[in-house]
Amino acid sequence: MAVTSTRNLPSDVEQIMTVARYDIFKHLRSRRLIAIFIIEAAILAVMLALPAILNQPYSDKPAEFVQNVLVFTFTNILIILAATMFAGDSICSEFQNRTGYLVFPNPIKKSSIYLGKFLSTALIVLVVVSVWYWVAIIAGYIVTGGVSTLAIESYGLAVLYAFAASSVGFLISSVLKGSTGALVLTFFLLFMIFPLVDSVGTLGGIEPVPSITYQAGAIDAVMTDPYPQNWVEYANETIGLPFNIYFFYPSVASSAAVMLGYIVICNLAGIFLFKRREMVG
Amino acid sequence: MTQEPIVLQNLTKDYGKGFRAVDDLSLTVMPGSFVGFLGPNGAGKTTTIKMLTNLLTVTSGHAYLNGIDVSSNPKGALGGVGAVVETPEFYPFLTPNETLEYLGAIRGMPKADVRKRSKEVLELVKMTEWSNVRIGKFSKGMKQRIALAQALLHEPTIVLLDEPTSGLDPRGMVEVREVLKELKKLHYTVFMSSHLLNEVQEVCSEAALIDHGKLMAYDSVSNLSTKIDSKKLEVRIADQVRGDAMDKLREFQGVRLLNIVNEQQFFIDFSGDEQAQADLLLKIQGLGYRVVSFKESGVALENLYMSLIKSSR
Ligand SMILES: Nc1ncnc2c1ncn2[C@@H]1O[C@H](COP(=O)(O)OP(=O)(O)O)[C@@H](O)[C@H]1O
Ligand SMILES: [Mg+2]
């Protein structure tokens, strides 16, 4: 009889790739992927057609054109939705659906399972964000005849934001018991709780530098030429403004740095918690 | 490799604070043996197997598989292991063949081997006709058989099974037991938990008895059976049971316990050879009873099992 020994086990990297491949397969056979592409296509179609419908001219500046199509509110929602749907329950579903009983007793490190799944999610959100940007950039090229590096920078930041938001989803997924709770928490954390904290900080005159959703603002800011500067509308009793109003704009560098920080820290914490998590029940 | 496939060293698991589910368990399984890990519900069987398969962290002690500590090197320790723990769930979007491809790839099997072995193991568990159907809607029995198939896919040296027949209907149980008997022929080292004595007696060569997380006995099934020399005799009579006659019977050589079931039936725990047993029948008849039937009931191992469990309460 063949004796399987540790010698011919695949390397960690090979196993990560295997996990990623089958996880992508899972997404390809799921309704979630179809759903997000339908949402994406619908918004793009409306935004591309909007000037024509309203009888207004399309922008002739490549960056502005892309900015007009990819309204930041929609980019933000799309990325949060993608992170929720493809990251929010990736780890806890193995526990809740009891598939962990099948997978964990294999000769594979739990960190490899985690990383394989993250790789798969990263690839899916990359495709979602890429479709979003490339449709707008190509349409912009057709209309304006140019492609702006600012739009490409925005695309890069959006991809980083999608990875960072997914990392938050993975961390939540490593902690929470149920899939529904993890999905809901991921969504509301990114969609409401972070932005709320951002607003409170901004009102108090504190730039919410560590906030992922604040830093996501650079995705839009970078397409504005010239780059918007922080400014303050000082309190002025004569025009009825009782307190200072602050406007903060994250720079591209700080945005990229904070996103990378989220990716590294959330996933390190996620792996740590996943490793220690026991398969009970 | 010459080391024993499974070694448990003072293995202990506490749930939360205070509750000790597995208590200082030490046990060595020899190559090629088929060990039944026998104990009543809640004895700590699943907890032990979960620690062996990296599903639970160990509170103290060690679990070694093929000489490698599961806690410190789970990837290495589980390399030669196939396991079925609880009733696992499958990815509903994959077919049995795809599931086996996935697990085969993780375990480092070449694609051609996976294909060849998938065919063999699915045949073994009689799931060939379902090999390309998504598992999503499979019944529990079907999933249990796929679970067995995946455990054997890579021809592991060690097979760990946690109550492989639990939750199955009688036919499913028989089918799974047939598979287990096949395993015995193939000389895998198997460690199988069960709360069913007859199952352990039917398929295992050794039995480790566990209760309240403690090892009560560990020996070959045949040794355990002879260790306790009393057997249970069931006696039915055509007359009414009388108290005075029963008292006389209790004093008879070899009678350890007498249990009156109803007015015409009683059980005797009896130790003695065949001659003594024949004399016992004469004695009962000598008391004036017309004996309808006089037969051995229950198996010796069951008596041992029950007495060990009782003594640990
Ligand atoms: N997650 C858990 N938390 C607390 N106690 C548990 C947990 N899992 C099992 N137990 C307890 O540990 C003991 C052993 O359980 P288990 O190993 O499942 O027994 P068996 O498999 O032999 O039926 C039982 O008393 C059970 O109630
Ligand atoms: Mg159990």
Side-chain angles (χ1 to χ4, degrees), chain B residues 243-304:
Chain B
D244 60 321
M246 288 293 119
D247 287 342
K248 282 199 187 118
L249 202 52
R250 279 196 181 93
E251 283 154 22
F252 190 73
Q253 178 84 46
V255 173
R256 294 182 167 176
L257 207 74
L258 205 149
N259 256 326
I260 298 167
V261 181
N262 58 43
E263 298 192 324
Q264 290 170 330
Q265 191 182 13
F266 53 91
F267 284 100
I268 302 173
D269 272 10
F270 182 74
S271 85
D273 57 13
E274 305 221 314
Q275 293 296 328
Q277 192 171 325
D279 288 344
L280 178 67
L281 175 58
L282 283 176
K283 169 88 180 169
I284 298 169
Q285 289 168 322
L287 289 167
Y289 289 130
R290 291 173 297 153
V291 176
V292 177
S293 87
F294 178 82
K295 64 174 186 202
E296 293 181 24
S297 105
V299 274
L301 192 54
E302 184 175 356
N303 295 347
L304 175 66

Side-chain angles (χ1 to χ4, degrees), chain A residues 46-256:
Chain A
V46 170
M47 295 314 293
L48 282 170
L50 207 55
I53 294 166
L54 300 177
N55 226 345
Q56 283 183 354
Y58 285 91
S59 167
D60 56 2
K61 299 189 196 100
E64 197 180 73
F65 181 93
V66 172
Q67 196 178 20
N68 290 347
V69 175
L70 307 182
V71 180
F72 178 66
T73 311
F74 291 146
T75 305
N76 191 40
I77 289 178
L78 183 78
I79 288 174
I80 292 172
L81 267 182
T84 303
M85 293 200 296
F86 302 107
D89 64 351
S90 51
I91 299 295
C92 60
S93 67
E94 296 283 347
F95 291 88
Q96 199 187 18
N97 301 340
R98 299 167 63 87
T99 45
Y101 282 119
L102 181 71
V103 180
F104 302 159
N106 278 281
I108 181 170
K109 291 179 184 159
K110 275 179 142 180
S111 52
S112 302
I113 297 174
Y114 183 104
L115 289 172
K117 283 170 164 283
F118 185 75
L119 208 62
S120 145
T121 297
L123 192 80
I124 300 280
V125 298
L126 174 69
V127 170
V128 169
V129 173
S130 297
V131 167
W132 188 244
Y133 270 86
W134 286 114
V135 167
I137 289 172
I138 290 167
Y141 178 73
I142 292 166
V143 173
T144 68
V147 173
S148 163
T149 55
L150 296 182
I152 304 288
E153 273 182 61
S154 172
Y155 170 43
L157 286 174
V159 169
L160 271 183
Y161 178 43
F163 289 173
S166 301
S167 305
V168 171
F170 263 71
L171 175 55
I172 289 171
S173 187
S174 301
V175 178
L176 288 207
K177 275 222 166 75
S179 290
T180 315
L183 291 173
V184 169
L185 183 60
T186 305
F187 185 80
F188 280 98
L189 197 63
L190 294 167
F191 189 69
M192 283 175 65
I193 300 171
F194 268 118
L196 203 71
V197 173
D198 297 346
S199 311
V200 171
T202 304
L203 276 176
I206 304 160
E207 184 181 358
V209 178
S211 164
I212 180 181
T213 47
Y214 165 70
Q215 296 291 351
I219 293 169
D220 188 52
V222 72
M223 288 191 284
T224 314
D225 197 16
Y227 205 96
Q229 299 293 308
N230 293 352
W231 60 287
V232 189
E233 186 73 61
Y234 287 103
N236 185 335
E237 296 297 342
T238 54
I239 62 162
L241 186 64
F243 43 75
N244 298 345
I245 296 182
Y246 299 87
F247 296 86
F248 297 118
Y249 298 93
S251 71
V252 171
S254 83
S255 175

